[in-house]
Amino acid sequence: MEKQQIALQVKDLSIAVNTPHGALPLVQNLELDLTPGKVLGLVGESGSGKTVTCMALLQLLNPKSMTVEGSIQLHGQELNGLKQKEMRRVLGKEIGFIMQNPMNAFTPVYTIGNQFVETIRTHTALTKKQAIELAVSSLESMNLKEPSKIMKMYPFQLSGGMLQRVMIAISMCLRPSVVIADEPTTALDVTNQLQVLRELDRLRTECGTTILLISHDLGVISELADDVAVMRNGRIIEKADVFQLFDHPMHEYTKKLLQARPVLPVNEPLRKLVI
Amino acid sequence: MSLLEVKKVTHAYGSLRSFWRPQTEAEVLSDVSFSIEQGTCMGLIGTSGAGKSTLGKVILGLEKPKKGQVLFQGEDLYTMNSQMRRQVRRNLQVVFQDSYSSVNPRLTAEKIIGEPLENYERLSASEQKRTIGQLLEQVGLRAEDMKKFPGQFSGGQLQRISIARAIALKPKMIVLDESVSSLDMVNQTNILKLLDELKDQYGLSYLFITHDIRAAYSISDTLTVLEKGRIVETYYDKDEIFTSPQPAVKNLVASILPEHPRNRTIANGKHFVQV
């Protein structure tokens, strides 16, 4: 696979929802560049258009009720306006998607293994046996114990943290070049949260995956992101390197967001003492 | 006399009894004791599955513990007569995590907040309306909002309505079970600020149940860590939690997300070399 400078390029993206009173813009003139091996954090409060942006990138919005304008290029291939059938070939293989709530992302009536193998076999020519082997090894690399046992379990038998790691395993096993993670840790408790973030970091270090990390939690962003885009009312109001953004926020709204962080007396020496 | 006293509470959930399998019991709380003074806030921290919410239910009188006592103003919750129980219910209120499922979607905000008032206070219609308007304004909404239905509010606003309902009867204590966990950072900070103001104004006591040390730290006076149904340690000086030698507490503290990227624990990403 040839590596281009930019894995996913979003240019001039506008999303509007069609209402009886006319089109209501949700996202306007959005520009994003995702470079390989980097994590781009997208921050904003609820209702700022983070999730609808990521749905548009994946072409999951209903074209009847929503209009998506602009260009979304994955390694030079235009995604916006692709037919559903063609898009299905890209999803899962080229772009991985990690959803907010792992409990709702799986079908409760099929086993994990069943759903895992289905994903693999849709995109590759592997036999069922090979697919199971691949699934087991990718579960193993997610630090899940007894992967062959997990394959036979149903989603509701696993905890939220485990299920989220299974979802990452599924979305990563075909080595997509771009992963979109929409609030991957919001539904998890603190210890699982850090573990999931570590797994994401390991994957981008090992495979050079690009990650679009969507979150409202500046803690998650400061833990993992390299660059940050701050979103408000459907527009990106500030884009900067993560260190620069935290040290020298330019926009008033960014300053307000940074002030909203709960402040703890965990400073550097204390942190070292703790770990 | 403490406002609330929990004495050696032990609780277990049993599996379904069937012909083939004997009933097994899983102990979720064992020998939990603590007390909360009038006008203070206790933060109860633990990972998922530690028994936090069960403890909350036991304190609210929703789940009778297998052993032990819960004393509210010196009276045992589970042996008192119905008249006293009615008084306790007035003084002990709750705000849950999921605001959408804790209100009736078919009632207006006015009816939702009016329900406890109708049950306990005999107010005239106009008086009740005025009280509800005042309560809404107190939690940062407008009095006109009382005509709206839950579907017309955002998550943060709905959580404010739940809080307004909880303070309507001027209770002595409110149990906050993950009340801010589903909100974004800005909303979280605002709600925490509101709760703190209300506490000072009415001399309220809180039991603040959460997995997020950051949120618990900013509102609580004392912190208690629960692990596998047991109290690990109680910190009367909340700063002590950061230097605790207990492995369970250390683990929790180590997973606090950094407030600045320079304190991040994941460092590999920076060394990723583009191929």
Side-chain angles (χ1 to χ4, degrees), chain B residues 187-205:
Chain B
N187 267 322
Q188 239 181 54
T189 318
N190 291 342
I191 297 272
L192 287 175
K193 225 180 266 168
L194 168 72
L195 287 170
D196 212 36
E197 285 164 15
L198 291 173
K199 187 177 106 175
D200 292 341
Q201 196 178 343
Y202 293 119
L204 284 169
S205 305

Side-chain angles (χ1 to χ4, degrees), chain A residues 45-46 189-191 193 201 204-205 208 216-217 219 222-223 225 246-247 257 260-261 264-266 268 271 274, chain B residues 47-48 183-186 189 211 214 217 239 242 255-261 263-266 268-269 272:
Chain A
E45 53 185 309
S46 41
D189 77 1
V190 273
T191 33
Q193 177 166 294
D201 182 66
R204 67 97 174 245
T205 320
H216 65 78
D217 191 340
S222 58
E223 183 78 38
F246 275 77
D247 285 332
L257 270 184
R261 290 173 295 168
L264 291 181
V266 202
E268 232 143 338
R271 207 155 233 283
V274 161
Chain B
T47 53
S48 42
L183 305 175
D184 72 26
M185 284 291 236
V186 182
T189 318
H211 66 254
R214 293 178 297 177
Y217 180 85
D239 287 321
F242 300 112
S255 10
I256 299 177
L257 291 171
E259 75 264 33
H260 193 283
N263 295 337
R264 61 168 68 170
T265 55
I266 295 173
N268 334 359
F272 175 75

Side-chain angles (χ1 to χ4, degrees), chain A residues 12-189:
Chain A
D12 215 15
L13 182 78
S14 297
I15 307 167
V17 61
N18 305 328
T19 62
H21 313 292
L24 184 73
L26 298 178
V27 172
Q28 287 174 334
N29 307 344
L30 190 94
E31 310 254 339
L32 289 174
D33 294 328
L34 277 79
T35 32
K38 291 275 183 186
V39 178
L40 175 70
L42 191 58
V43 211
E45 53 185 309
S46 41
S48 60
K50 304 185 301 275
T51 302
V52 82
T53 303
C54 104
M55 298 296 260
L57 295 186
L58 297 161
Q59 298 286 305
L60 291 176
L61 296 174
N62 185 354
K64 278 185 189 140
S65 57
M66 309 273 237
T67 12
V68 181
E69 281 165 5
S71 116
I72 304 161
Q73 291 193 341
L74 180 76
H75 296 294
Q77 187 197 0
E78 177 63 47
L79 294 186
N80 194 11
L82 269 191
K83 287 201 187 93
Q84 218 176 19
K85 222 173 181 179
E86 296 162 49
M87 197 59 210
R88 232 183 256 167
R89 241 170 272 150
V90 177
L91 290 184
K93 186 142 191 255
E94 304 278 338
I95 305 182
F97 184 37
I98 299 165
M99 276 173 247
Q100 178 171 10
N101 194 342
M103 306 285 184
N104 298 341
F106 289 92
T107 322
V109 290
Y110 291 115
T111 58
I112 299 282
N114 196 317
Q115 299 180 47
F116 211 131
V117 167
E118 185 195 353
T119 311
I120 296 173
R121 292 197 67 196
T122 319
H123 294 290
T124 59
L126 295 181
T127 62
K128 199 171 175 188
K129 210 172 167 190
Q130 285 171 317
I132 290 174
E133 269 168 34
L134 177 62
V136 169
S137 70
S138 50
L139 282 176
E140 216 162 22
S141 69
M142 249 332 110
N143 285 334
L144 287 162
K145 285 179 195 106
E146 300 185 78
S148 44
K149 219 177 186 176
I150 290 178
M151 294 283 283
K152 291 201 183 78
M153 281 163 126
Y154 287 91
F156 51 83
Q157 289 171 302
L158 298 173
S159 72
M162 281 168 94
L163 217 48
Q164 192 63 289
R165 273 183 278 163
V166 171
M167 182 137 82
I168 296 176
I170 293 183
S171 55
M172 296 304 299
C173 74
L174 295 166
R175 299 270 175 269
S177 46
V178 177
V179 166
I180 297 177
D182 185 8
E183 309 250 6
T185 60
T186 311
L188 308 177
D189 77 1

Side-chain angles (χ1 to χ4, degrees), chain B residues 159-211:
Chain B
Q159 200 60 279
R160 284 169 191 269
I161 288 178
S162 304
I163 292 172
R165 177 175 60 182
I167 61 169
L169 295 170
K170 308 207 167 39
K172 295 223 160 58
M173 183 173 169
I174 303 180
V175 175
L176 303 159
D177 190 353
E178 301 270 14
S179 301
V180 298
S181 305
S182 58
L183 305 175
D184 72 26
M185 284 291 236
V186 182
N187 267 322
Q188 239 181 54
T189 318
N190 291 342
I191 297 272
L192 287 175
K193 225 180 266 168
L194 168 72
L195 287 170
D196 212 36
E197 285 164 15
L198 291 173
K199 187 177 106 175
D200 292 341
Q201 196 178 343
Y202 293 119
L204 284 169
S205 305
Y206 293 139
L207 174 65
F208 190 80
I209 301 175
T210 183
H211 66 254

Side-chain angles (χ1 to χ4, degrees), chain A residues 179-211:
Chain A
V179 166
I180 297 177
D182 185 8
E183 309 250 6
T185 60
T186 311
L188 308 177
D189 77 1
V190 273
T191 33
N192 283 318
Q193 177 166 294
L194 198 65
Q195 227 168 358
V196 165
L197 291 179
R198 289 215 172 112
E199 296 301 338
L200 282 176
D201 182 66
R202 203 170 54 80
L203 284 164
R204 67 97 174 245
T205 320
E206 284 173 12
C207 319
T209 315
T210 310
I211 300 176

Side-chain angles (χ1 to χ4, degrees), chain B:
Chain B
M1 185 182 68
S2 312
L3 179 70
L4 179 94
E5 224 173 316
V6 176
K7 277 187 182 169
K8 298 197 167 181
V9 162
T10 299
H11 193 57
Y13 289 122
S15 66
L16 283 179
R17 200 195 312 253
S18 82
F19 183 76
W20 294 277
R21 274 183 225 146
Q23 190 178 28
T24 52
E25 279 197 341
E27 205 166 75
V28 279
L29 292 174
S30 41
D31 230 2
V32 174
S33 309
F34 62 85
S35 60
I36 298 177
E37 305 297 325
Q38 178 80 49
T40 62
C41 173
M42 189 178 99
L44 186 67
I45 306 168
T47 53
S48 42
K52 307 184 295 286
S53 293
T54 308
L55 185 55
K57 279 185 195 162
V58 166
I59 289 168
L60 287 167
L62 299 173
E63 192 116 50
K64 195 175 189 305
K66 299 262 151 136
K67 276 181 218 148
Q69 280 180 308
V70 182
L71 305 179
F72 189 79
Q73 296 179 303
E75 300 284 339
D76 191 330
L77 265 184
Y78 291 93
T79 54
M80 62 177 54
N81 59 34
S82 58
Q83 201 144 29
M84 293 199 70
R85 209 151 214 246
R86 198 175 138 80
Q87 279 313 305
V88 169
R89 287 214 178 116
R90 178 188 186 136
N91 286 323
L92 189 58
Q93 296 284 337
V94 63
V95 178
F96 288 108
Q97 170 173 14
D98 189 358
S99 45
Y100 282 99
S101 61
S102 50
V103 293
N104 186 339
R106 294 184 177 205
L107 299 183
T108 58
E110 182 182 3
K111 287 264 171 59
I112 291 166
I113 302 172
E115 218 178 332
L117 292 172
E118 273 164 29
N119 287 344
Y120 284 94
E121 310 256 3
R122 283 168 190 274
L123 299 176
S124 66
S126 60
E127 244 179 304
Q128 177 157 328
K129 204 159 196 172
R130 215 186 53 231
T131 317
I132 292 168
Q134 280 170 355
L135 282 166
L136 279 172
E137 269 160 22
Q138 202 162 24
V139 295
L141 298 170
R142 289 169 304 151
E144 302 94 86
D145 288 336
M146 69 168 80
K147 289 277 168 269
K148 286 192 195 170
F149 287 92
Q152 293 167 288
F153 291 107
S154 73
Q157 288 173 326
L158 214 49
Q159 200 60 279
R160 284 169 191 269
I161 288 178
S162 304
I163 292 172
R165 177 175 60 182
I167 61 169
L169 295 170
K170 308 207 167 39
K172 295 223 160 58
M173 183 173 169
I174 303 180
V175 175
L176 303 159
D177 190 353
E178 301 270 14
S179 301
V180 298
S181 305
S182 58
L183 305 175
D184 72 26
M185 284 291 236
V186 182
N187 267 322
Q188 239 181 54
T189 318
N190 291 342
I191 297 272
L192 287 175
K193 225 180 266 168
L194 168 72
L195 287 170
D196 212 36
E197 285 164 15
L198 291 173
K199 187 177 106 175
D200 292 341
Q201 196 178 343
Y202 293 119
L204 284 169
S205 305
Y206 293 139
L207 174 65
F208 190 80
I209 301 175
T210 183
H211 66 254
D212 189 356
I213 300 187
R214 293 178 297 177
Y217 180 85
S218 56
I219 188 169
S220 309
D221 300 307
T222 60
L223 293 173
T224 299
V225 178
L226 200 67
E227 162 91 3
K228 288 180 186 151
R230 282 169 200 281
I231 287 185
V232 181
E233 224 170 340
T234 300
Y235 305 93
Y236 295 101
D237 174 8
K238 58 185 176 180
D239 287 321
E240 278 174 24
I241 193 169
F242 300 112
T243 47
S244 165
Q246 296 277 356
V249 184
K250 261 184 171 177
N251 197 0
L252 275 173
V253 171
S255 10
I256 299 177
L257 291 171
E259 75 264 33
H260 193 283
R262 87 172 89 82
N263 295 337
R264 61 168 68 170
T265 55
I266 295 173
N268 334 359
K270 280 282 149 200
H271 309 304
F272 175 75
V273 195
Q274 205 170 316
V275 192

